[in-house]
Amino acid sequence: MATIDDVARTAGVSTSTVSYVLSGKRPISAPTRLRVEKAIRELGYRPHAGARALASSRTQVIALMAPLRVDVDVSVIMQFVTGVVTAARTYEHDVLLLTQDDAAGLDRVASGSMVDALVVMDIEDDDPRVPLLATLRQPTVLIGLPHEAAGLSCVDLDFEGAGRLAVRHLSARGHRAVGLVGSPPAVLERHTSYAERILRGFRSEAQALDVQAGHVACESSPSGARAAVDSLLAAVPDVTAVVVHNEVALPFVVSALHDRGLRTPEDVSVLAVCPPEVAESQPVPLSSIDLPAHTIGAVAVEMVMARLDQDHPAETRLLTPRVVDRGSVHDRSAVPEPGVSP
Amino acid sequence: MATIDDVARTAGVSTSTVSYVLSGKRPISAPTRLRVEKAIRELGYRPHAGARALASSRTQVIALMAPLRVDVDVSVIMQFVTGVVTAARTYEHDVLLLTQDDAAGLDRVASGSMVDALVVMDIEDDDPRVPLLATLRQPTVLIGLPHEAAGLSCVDLDFEGAGRLAVRHLSARGHRAVGLVGSPPAVLERHTSYAERILRGFRSEAQALDVQAGHVACESSPSGARAAVDSLLAAVPDVTAVVVHNEVALPFVVSALHDRGLRTPEDVSVLAVCPPEVAESQPVPLSSIDLPAHTIGAVAVEMVMARLDQDHPAETRLLTPRVVDRGSVHDRSAVPEPGVSP
DNA sequence: CTGAAAGCGCTAACAC
DNA sequence: GTGTTAGCGCTTTCAG
């Protein structure tokens, strides 16, 4: 492998000159720049990442911890991941992927100076990784919202707002009894923040608008979906709309409703909370509150880069939810009294 | 951050001694080892990855290129990815994730000495990345089977064997007319090797066993699945079993069959080719030829590490396919003549 | 069993 | 606008 000295020699300049044409950190005359670039091309020169990291304290790598928990839809995780990777490349960074959910991995890559910054997914309300992250010298952004962010940046969809928006959207279309089919019990038990936040928003807005609201957890499986539907129908017999925040169970919830003789959207409306791709690719496309996973990943990178390059202060960014109509929410407001469907 | 010299100083030894207790590359007396370890603990010392890479030419990182192509089921990709990441940790390595499918990314991380080795997924028959990879000084293993491996290691499920096994399995159970619902046209068009290999095995075994065989490509969508089922039924009206090698379309193929009045498995048997998790989590579990994606990822890492540590020669490993019965293949061999179902 | 010291390849003062 | 050079923090001969 050619080194920077080889390049300098064949270009007839000093090593620093080569370094500076590479970094652009000082002006170089056109002729020398050209000679250097030619030498680089001829020798197929690539700076040695380790040497560069050692000298500059910059690795051009960020860590991404993407725990592949059961019950969390992998396609959603993948969206976050690609969002992060794509955005990172934009900032000349690569991504080191950690899939095991432990503080040790974060500590290893950060303390060992393998990365310039960290992005951590699937944050729980009281997440054991947060205190560690707060001690690192590299900036971190959390995807999710812990109870105590300890000075770290956070980014996520505003799930509480999404819960409210869902109820408001349905209420405005004449629905007076709505259900939320949510995350699996395991997700709730570990107090993953989004599950609790959407529920809070859902309930508070239902109360405010005097809408009857039921919530059921839902295992991410066909049988789990059937059970959830049954228990929701038992709890809220008059339910006319159901919000589903569970990508894996989503298709099964819809088919479970059908199996019980409830058509979508004539008998019961369905509003999903999921990435647009998921809502579109259902057997019948579903209206949804989009979870812009790819975007969130990209924003996480932007935030972390802003902290690195301009030591921008920490902040929390909650993306505003919006409803995308794909026809699975029925407008009942034309029907004055809940009556017999045609 | 504490450096190795800090550790040496507080332990009262030389830097090389610290280095050697860390690497274990030469014997250290118990007392000094203990003193050094204590110092390391007290200072919270972590070797600087860049410095180590510079001095040792080892980064303890491997690159994984996992192109997230449309039409390829993300959950399967994720299985490969976690297989690779988990196995890599076993060898004290981390994983740098590349998601964009280009030779440039591979060249960047390899020529820049960011990684010790590379694992490349989703190899096409005539893959443009292969010639580049062959020139790198880092060992590479391909997940998939290109036409010309150029001296690189390869690992994959034996898809040709899987195609044969599928036909043999169905034939042994009395099926004389079988279909293969395969990858999307786009996958076939880019000559992704597994799609062609399974088809070759499927056809050759059908011919050998005198079984009528039809093949249709299948877009990864509900409508694509319906279209594929229709065209298969048109081509092979008497079909009694269908092999599905398309994780995304799988549930829709099954429901399309049902919509056409064909029950599983009484009227038409279904044999999937997919990871066990996918086959199990269908609305009704499906018998399958397991695609051990996690294992393949892990084997890829083992192979690449063997080349690194023991410069083991390149080789190609094809994992033997096997059928896992989950009840979706009907045994017709008891029925002497194809007759009316009860 | 342990130490001294020469790099590894690059960046960034500091000179001119 | 360009060159010289002192590190960055580690590994690994070479000595003892």
Side-chain angles (χ1 to χ4, degrees):
Chain A
M1 281 284 90
T3 72
I4 197 172
D5 289 298
D6 297 328
V7 175
R9 204 171 310 117
T10 93
V13 299
S14 70
T15 64
S16 59
T17 297
V18 177
S19 178
Y20 285 118
V21 330
L22 249 22
S23 70
K25 287 188 182 176
R26 84 180 182 190
I28 303 283
S29 71
T32 51
R33 154 173 299 113
L34 257 26
R35 295 223 315 288
V36 169
E37 284 166 349
K38 180 150 168 284
I40 289 178
R41 240 176 295 117
E42 284 173 5
L43 299 176
Y45 167 71
R46 294 273 191 177
H48 185 287
R52 177 173 270 191
L54 181 56
S56 69
S57 304
R58 283 287 207 128
T59 63
Q60 305 301 113
V61 175
I62 71 179
L64 170 61
M65 173 167 279
L68 303 188
R69 295 193 169 128
V70 281
D71 302 320
V72 179
D73 187 42
V74 287
S75 78
V76 180
I77 296 176
M78 255 332 200
Q79 298 246 0
F80 282 112
V81 172
T82 59
V84 168
V85 173
T86 308
R89 286 302 309 144
T90 275
Y91 292 92
E92 315 254 58
H93 278 250
D94 280 292
V95 172
L96 198 71
L97 180 69
L98 304 173
T99 58
Q100 209 195 350
D101 169 26
D102 58 345
L106 294 169
D107 192 27
R108 175 164 42 79
V109 301
S111 300
S113 297
M114 299 181 74
V115 301
D116 293 336
L118 303 94
V119 173
V120 181
M121 288 177 51
D122 205 356
I123 293 294
E124 297 173 20
D125 197 35
D126 185 24
D127 201 297
R129 296 167 296 180
V130 169
L132 165 71
L133 290 166
T135 71
L136 300 177
R137 70 184 171 298
Q138 291 96 337
T140 294
V141 24
L142 310 177
I143 296 183
L145 215 53
H147 207 75
E148 171 54 55
L152 303 172
S153 288
C154 305
V155 56
D156 206 352
L157 178 67
D158 179 359
F159 276 100
E160 188 165 344
R164 278 187 260 113
L165 174 58
V167 172
R168 204 178 322 131
H169 183 82
L170 296 172
S171 169
R173 281 155 190 76
H175 297 271
R176 312 302 308 157
V178 302
L180 171 61
V181 173
S183 302
V187 172
L188 286 161
E189 275 155 24
R190 43 172 204 260
H191 296 284
T192 303
S193 73
Y194 60 75
E196 301 186 341
R197 286 185 282 140
I198 195 170
L199 182 54
R200 193 182 319 140
F202 181 80
R203 283 190 171 139
S204 72
E205 191 75 1
Q207 185 155 26
L209 298 178
D210 198 28
V211 167
Q212 189 191 353
H215 164 255
V216 289
C218 179
E219 294 288 0
S220 297
S221 67
S223 58
R226 284 191 292 271
V229 165
D230 286 339
S231 98
L232 180 63
L233 292 176
V236 189
D238 298 332
V239 68
T240 61
V242 21
V243 178
V244 183
H245 180 214
N246 184 321
E247 289 85 2
V248 179
L250 185 52
F252 307 125
V253 168
V254 173
S255 58
L257 288 168
H258 286 201
D259 292 350
R260 275 133 195 88
L262 298 169
R263 293 161 306 166
T264 307
E266 297 86 347
D267 301 318
V268 44
S269 296
V270 172
L271 181 62
V273 179
C274 65
E277 294 77 5
V278 174
E280 281 158 10
S281 69
Q282 296 296 312
V284 35
L286 298 176
S287 298
S288 72
I289 294 182
D290 278 350
L291 173 56
H294 192 91
T295 301
I296 292 173
V299 169
V301 171
E302 278 168 32
M303 291 172 75
V304 91
M305 287 299 151
R307 299 205 66 184
L308 249 192
D309 296 334
Q310 312 146 29
D311 56 46
H312 197 279
E315 61 180 330
T316 292
R317 285 171 62 175
L318 294 181
L319 307 194
T320 303
R322 54 193 192 80
V323 172
V324 174
D325 185 1
R326 298 189 186 85
S328 67
V329 172
H330 185 51
D331 191 345
R332 300 169 53 90
S333 57
V335 187
E337 294 300 307
V340 192
S341 41
Chain B
M1 282 285 90
T3 71
I4 197 172
D5 289 297
D6 297 328
V7 175
R9 203 173 308 119
T10 93
V13 299
S14 70
T15 63
S16 56
T17 297
V18 177
S19 179
Y20 285 118
V21 330
L22 249 22
S23 69
K25 289 188 181 176
R26 85 180 181 190
I28 303 283
S29 71
T32 51
R33 155 174 297 114
L34 257 26
R35 296 222 316 287
V36 170
E37 284 166 350
K38 180 151 169 285
I40 288 177
R41 239 176 294 117
E42 284 174 7
L43 298 176
Y45 167 72
R46 295 272 191 177
H48 185 288
R52 177 173 270 192
L54 181 56
S56 69
S57 304
R58 283 286 208 130
T59 62
Q60 305 302 112
V61 175
I62 70 179
L64 170 61
M65 172 166 278
L68 303 188
R69 295 196 170 127
V70 282
D71 303 320
V72 180
D73 187 41
V74 286
S75 78
V76 180
I77 296 175
M78 256 331 200
Q79 298 247 2
F80 282 113
V81 172
T82 59
V84 168
V85 173
T86 308
R89 286 303 309 144
T90 276
Y91 292 92
E92 315 254 57
H93 277 251
D94 279 292
V95 172
L96 198 73
L97 179 70
L98 305 173
T99 58
Q100 209 195 349
D101 168 26
D102 58 346
L106 294 170
D107 192 29
R108 174 165 43 79
V109 301
S111 301
S113 299
M114 299 181 74
V115 302
D116 293 336
L118 303 95
V119 173
V120 181
M121 287 177 52
D122 205 356
I123 293 294
E124 297 173 18
D125 197 37
D126 185 24
D127 200 297
R129 296 167 296 180
V130 169
L132 165 72
L133 291 167
T135 71
L136 300 178
R137 69 184 172 299
Q138 292 95 337
T140 295
V141 24
L142 311 176
I143 295 184
L145 215 53
H147 207 75
E148 172 53 57
L152 302 173
S153 288
C154 305
V155 57
D156 206 352
L157 178 66
D158 178 0
F159 277 100
E160 188 166 344
R164 278 188 260 112
L165 174 59
V167 173
R168 205 178 322 130
H169 183 82
L170 296 172
S171 169
R173 281 156 190 75
H175 297 271
R176 313 301 309 157
V178 302
L180 171 61
V181 173
S183 302
V187 171
L188 287 161
E189 276 156 24
R190 38 173 210 261
H191 297 283
T192 304
S193 73
Y194 59 77
E196 302 187 340
R197 286 185 283 140
I198 195 171
L199 183 53
R200 194 181 320 139
F202 182 81
R203 283 189 171 142
S204 71
E205 191 75 1
Q207 186 156 25
L209 298 178
D210 197 29
V211 167
Q212 190 191 353
H215 164 257
V216 289
C218 179
E219 294 288 359
S220 297
S221 67
S223 58
R226 284 191 292 272
V229 165
D230 286 339
S231 97
L232 180 62
L233 291 175
V236 189
D238 297 332
V239 69
T240 61
V242 21
V243 178
V244 184
H245 179 215
N246 185 321
E247 289 86 2
V248 179
L250 185 52
F252 307 125
V253 168
V254 173
S255 58
L257 288 168
H258 286 201
D259 292 349
R260 275 134 196 87
L262 299 169
R263 293 161 305 165
T264 306
E266 298 85 346
D267 301 317
V268 43
S269 295
V270 173
L271 180 62
V273 179
C274 65
E277 294 78 6
V278 173
E280 281 158 10
S281 70
Q282 297 296 311
V284 36
L286 298 176
S287 298
S288 71
I289 294 182
D290 277 349
L291 174 55
H294 192 90
T295 302
I296 292 173
V299 169
V301 171
E302 278 169 33
M303 291 172 75
V304 91
M305 287 299 153
R307 298 205 67 183
L308 249 191
D309 296 334
Q310 313 145 30
D311 57 46
H312 197 281
E315 62 179 330
T316 292
R317 283 171 64 175
L318 295 182
L319 306 194
T320 303
R322 56 194 191 80
V323 172
V324 174
D325 184 1
R326 297 189 185 87
S328 67
V329 172
H330 186 51
D331 190 346
R332 300 169 53 91
S333 57
V335 185
E337 294 300 308
V340 191
S341 41

